[in-house]
Amino acid sequence: MAANYFSEIEPVRYAGPETNDPLAYRYYDAKRVVLGKTMEEHLRISVAYWHTFCSAGADMFGGGTWDRPWHKGSDPVAMAEHKLEEAMSFIKKLGVPFYAFHDRDLAPDLGNMRDSQKAFAHMVDKAALAQEQSGIKLLWGTANLFSNPRYMAGGATNPDPEVFACAALQVRDALEATKKLNGSAYVLWGGREGYETLLNTDLKREMAQLGRFLQMVVEHKYKIGFDGLILIEPKPMEPSKHQYDFDVATVYGFLKQYGLEKEVQVNIECNHATLAGHSFEHEIAMSTALGCFGSVDANRGDSQNGWDTDQFPNDVNEVAMSLYHVLKAGGFTKGGFNFDAKVRRQSVDALDLMYAHVGGVDTLAHGLLIAARMIEDDKLGQFKAARYAGWDQGMGKQILDKGLDLAAVADLAASKNIEPTPRSGRQEMLETIVSRYA
């Protein structure tokens, strides 16, 4: 079935900062060079297959409101083929280079593992052809280990080893499909890798299972010669009461425990950061400080809602500060900005999908320009360097170089009668500097 759902929508063009056309870019000029790389290279923007092409607009209180033609039919595989055609048409018109998928997004769950995996293999072949024809690339793939009832108590952390085996089968096939499609990364999100009550949960056992599962994934990566990133996506809860990948710091500690800190990085989502009680900027900064930054799921939450609303990003200041840390750390290698975001349930038209993505893309591009100016001026960097200068020389350097032990440092404090004078952190000045960039 030929793609025609977006046929009346023209390809999105760059029209400049003065345009009022909501279907044109004000800031995203893909080939514009910023800090030595094009915008396209810096941002590596991806469309999320699951929200944009698989969701029907349902929520916990009502059925789907989006009338998508690829959701209709009696043959699930034919419907999946139609969906792929429409997806590639949309992404091509949007003018971004990547997409991302779960295995069960690309191909249907047919009710048994063998038939489902056969359908997945068929659709991977179709996706390879579609990528070749369109020039669109795969940012990352993943396996859905949360929707099927078998995963109600988790995949890797399940008390039943047969469920663990099913999870291993899906991840093996999805990882191999990601390699076949030249994906840049593979993501593991543990939506049900956690618990709903401690009354029936053996924490030590479940975390050991999860650690071994991750080791197996890394081992298979090398076995098949996949040269992309392996990523974990932190989230504190939902649908589980508590997830073992709570936030960046928790994930890093977990990776250290199982010897994986040099093998696995993080895919950070804005809305997951806020659910953990952090800011998006905090999680980005923490991951770059720990050396485990990999990729980003771009979205936002709603401060009046206590759940993962997955709205499109529109806060330029938030994006700019996060990109400041990304750029300071050297930028993306094989990760990128994936729009893990969905239109609202009342946004029922094909145009709404385009409006949402255009706005999100422009927010990222505008944030990039602001972050680049901040780095070129480097006022924040200069202030921090001066604030911590004492650690680069004298006693501070000796402490860090292990030239002094605790008793020696204490003796210095006593012999010199050290009475430090408090120095201002200049928070308000720095906040004013940052606000003026925007």
Side-chain angles (χ1 to χ4, degrees):
M1 191 177 295
N4 59 21
Y5 187 63
F6 303 102
S7 60
E8 296 184 5
I9 301 174
E10 294 295 321
V12 184
R13 61 187 177 87
Y14 170 71
E18 304 305 317
T19 186
N20 288 317
D21 183 355
L23 290 178
Y25 293 129
R26 280 189 166 199
Y27 300 101
Y28 185 65
D29 183 357
K31 302 307 176 184
R32 177 177 174 178
V33 176
V34 179
L35 297 181
K37 296 197 310 190
T38 65
M39 281 191 163
E40 182 176 89
E41 291 169 331
H42 272 301
L43 298 174
R44 293 173 59 83
I45 295 171
S46 166
V47 175
Y49 211 85
W50 51 98
H51 284 321
T52 303
F53 307 111
C54 299
S55 180
D59 63 19
M60 293 177 68
F61 300 97
T65 58
W66 303 335
D67 184 22
R68 313 292 194 220
W70 55 88
H71 290 164
K72 301 173 182 176
S74 57
D75 182 345
V77 174
M79 293 161 63
E81 292 174 350
H82 184 195
K83 178 170 58 178
L84 178 64
E85 292 285 337
E86 297 286 3
M88 291 297 170
S89 169
F90 176 86
I91 298 168
K92 190 76 174 174
K93 289 189 174 187
L94 189 63
V96 298
F98 294 103
Y99 73 114
F101 65 76
H102 298 82
D103 54 351
R104 296 298 182 255
D105 302 328
L106 192 63
D109 186 331
L110 295 177
N112 69 80
M113 187 65 77
R114 185 170 296 169
D115 289 345
S116 297
Q117 296 311 102
K118 182 178 178 182
F120 180 55
H122 169 76
M123 288 306 303
V124 168
D125 288 341
K126 291 288 186 180
L129 180 60
Q131 288 181 198
E132 182 181 347
Q133 292 173 340
S134 67
I136 296 164
K137 299 181 287 291
L138 178 64
L139 183 66
W140 52 257
T142 187
N144 180 332
L145 304 182
F146 49 88
S147 293
N148 192 289
R150 72 170 67 92
Y151 298 124
M152 65 180 180
T157 59
N158 202 286
D160 185 346
E162 290 189 350
V163 176
F164 184 104
C166 289
L169 173 58
Q170 279 191 242
V171 170
R172 182 203 66 184
D173 287 358
L175 179 56
E176 291 181 358
T178 300
K179 178 181 183 293
K180 180 174 181 177
L181 295 172
N182 296 313
S184 296
Y186 184 85
V187 173
L188 296 114
W189 176 62
R192 300 196 189 277
E193 310 296 1
Y195 66 80
E196 296 178 15
T197 175
L198 286 171
L199 296 175
N200 61 9
T201 302
D202 186 330
L203 284 173
K204 184 176 181 179
R205 186 185 292 273
E206 289 199 0
M207 288 189 288
Q209 291 172 209
L210 183 57
R212 180 59 190 135
F213 194 90
L214 291 175
Q215 289 171 338
M216 292 164 65
V217 172
V218 171
E219 290 163 4
H220 196 66
K221 165 189 170 172
Y222 287 110
K223 182 178 180 180
I224 65 174
F226 177 58
D227 63 359
L229 303 176
I230 300 294
L231 303 169
I232 288 180
E233 184 172 323
K235 188 178 183 181
M237 43 79 175
E238 192 194 67
S240 298
K241 177 179 180 178
H242 171 82
Q243 289 180 204
Y244 299 129
D245 52 5
F246 188 94
D247 60 5
V248 167
T250 303
V251 168
Y252 186 75
F254 189 87
L255 295 175
K256 289 280 285 187
Q257 181 179 358
Y258 291 96
L260 296 169
E261 71 276 11
K262 297 185 184 303
E263 300 289 351
V264 180
Q265 294 171 286
V266 290
N267 180 55
I268 298 167
E269 179 175 317
C270 176
N271 208 167
H272 294 179
T274 53
L275 286 175
H278 304 310
S279 67
F280 184 32
E281 180 190 0
H282 166 88
E283 289 289 82
I284 296 284
M286 182 64 75
S287 68
T288 58
L290 293 172
C292 62
F293 174 75
S295 196
V296 173
D297 269 6
N299 59 23
R300 77 180 199 274
D302 188 313
S303 61
Q304 291 181 289
N305 289 333
W307 62 87
D308 193 5
T309 56
D310 283 332
Q311 294 171 251
F312 279 82
N314 64 359
D315 187 334
V316 173
N317 289 338
E318 180 179 57
V319 168
M321 286 310 305
S322 299
L323 266 164
Y324 172 82
H325 294 284
V326 171
L327 295 175
K328 274 282 192 178
F332 292 113
T333 56
K334 296 183 178 181
F337 277 104
N338 175 56
F339 281 121
D340 188 0
K342 57 189 174 186
V343 296
R344 300 301 88 191
R345 194 164 179 265
Q346 297 178 51
S347 300
V348 299
D349 297 335
L351 272 173
D352 293 313
L353 288 171
M354 193 63 77
Y355 287 136
H357 282 83
V358 169
V361 169
D362 247 5
T363 298
L364 295 182
H366 194 182
L368 173 65
L369 294 175
I370 294 169
R373 291 201 301 272
M374 293 172 63
I375 287 174
E376 288 170 333
D377 293 346
D378 204 29
K379 291 180 180 178
L380 294 184
Q382 292 168 11
F383 181 87
K384 289 180 183 179
R387 190 178 188 212
Y388 291 93
W391 290 97
D392 297 325
Q393 58 192 343
M395 181 179 67
K397 190 172 188 304
Q398 286 182 291
I399 292 170
L400 295 179
D401 290 345
K402 300 182 180 179
L404 298 171
D405 61 14
L406 182 66
V409 176
D411 288 344
L412 277 174
S415 64
K416 293 186 177 183
N417 193 28
I418 294 177
E419 293 289 344
T421 301
R423 293 180 297 153
S424 173
R426 297 281 190 264
Q427 179 174 335
E428 292 75 17
M429 178 195 77
L430 296 171
E431 289 172 341
T432 299
I433 288 172
V434 169
S435 69
R436 288 177 175 175
Y437 282 103

